[in-house]
Amino acid sequence: MPSSVPLSYHLDFYRYWHGKRSSQAVPPRNGIDPTEIPALLPNIGIIEKTGGEFRYRLMGTSLVQQLGFDATGASVGAYIGAGQALRDTVELACTSANPVFNTGRYEAGHGLVHRGTMQMLPLSGDGKAVNMVVFLGILRFHPFGRAGRDWLRNAPIKIGEPVLIRDDGHLETIIAAWEQA
C-alpha cells in the first residue's frame, strides 16, 4: 500500500501550527480548527499527557489504515518494540515546547523495509502548560510490501533521533535530507 501523501504536508502542518501560536510559545488546543486543514486530517493524531502517561486521543483514518490498527485510547509506545524511543520523542516536544521531527524504519520481513516520518507539534490545554501533541505521520511502504492488520505489532522498528524544528526552512532541509536517504 504505497502512500501518496506528499512530504510537503509536513511544511503545511508546521506553517498552520506556527500561525496559530500568535504571541504564545504554543497554541492552545482549541486554536486548532480541523475545518481549516481538511487535506491533512487523515494523517493527523493527537497525544495527550495525563497522569504522567501519554495516550493517543485521536488517530486519523489514513494513520489507522497504514499502521494496521487504531491506537485511540492506547498508551503511546505500548504497541511497538521501540516504544521508549517514541515516548522520548513525545516527551521532548512537551518539555521543550518546540516542534519535533523524527523518522522510523520498519522491517516487514523478507527484506522489505518501510519508512516513516512524524512531526510533533506541542499544544496547551490551559494556555500555559504543554499537555498535548498534535502529530502528522507519513509512511512510505516498500513497493513490494503491503501492510495488513497488525503488521506493526511484531515488526522490528528503529526510531531515529528526534530533531527540534527551528523554522520552516529548517524543516524543509530535514525533509529533503530524509527523502534523499
Side-chain angles (χ1 to χ4, degrees):
M1 163 199 327
S3 174
S4 60
V5 176
L7 288 174
S8 63
Y9 274 18
H10 282 301
L11 286 169
D12 297 340
F13 190 47
Y14 174 83
R15 289 173 180 149
Y16 174 78
W17 174 88
H18 185 72
K20 295 296 183 174
R21 287 177 55 197
S22 184
S23 62
Q24 303 167 346
V26 299
R29 164 64 183 101
N30 63 4
I32 304 298
D33 181 355
T35 64
E36 295 175 342
I37 50 173
L40 304 178
L41 289 181
N43 290 83
I44 288 179
I46 295 176
I47 297 170
E48 184 174 23
K49 186 174 187 176
T50 55
E53 184 178 41
F54 294 111
R55 290 203 169 273
Y56 291 102
R57 302 291 290 155
L58 172 84
M59 293 288 286
T61 55
S62 182
L63 289 174
V64 170
Q65 181 183 24
Q66 290 184 38
L67 295 175
F69 71 101
D70 184 354
T72 302
S75 293
V76 171
Y79 190 80
I80 62 171
Q84 188 58 52
L86 184 55
R87 285 188 297 277
D88 290 347
T89 300
V90 177
E91 183 70 38
L92 178 61
C94 287
T95 58
S96 70
N98 282 299
V100 175
F101 186 85
N102 208 339
T103 61
R105 176 183 162 91
Y106 315 90
E107 294 180 19
H110 307 293
L112 302 179
V113 175
H114 307 313
R115 301 176 329 130
T117 61
M118 183 177 280
Q119 177 183 6
M120 298 185 182
L121 306 175
L123 298 174
S124 175
D126 64 5
K128 298 174 188 158
V130 175
N131 67 333
M132 292 181 192
V133 173
V134 60
F135 68 92
L136 181 124
I138 298 175
L139 286 170
R140 295 287 190 247
F141 289 91
H142 186 281
F144 301 112
R146 188 188 309 190
R149 182 164 175 75
D150 291 328
W151 74 271
L152 193 57
R153 181 177 298 276
N154 298 313
I157 298 171
K158 181 174 184 342
I159 303 291
E161 289 295 319
V163 177
L164 293 176
I165 301 167
R166 295 188 303 266
D167 56 38
D168 57 350
H170 181 230
L171 178 58
E172 198 165 6
T173 301
I174 295 167
I175 292 168
W178 182 80
E179 215 168 12
Q180 290 174 1

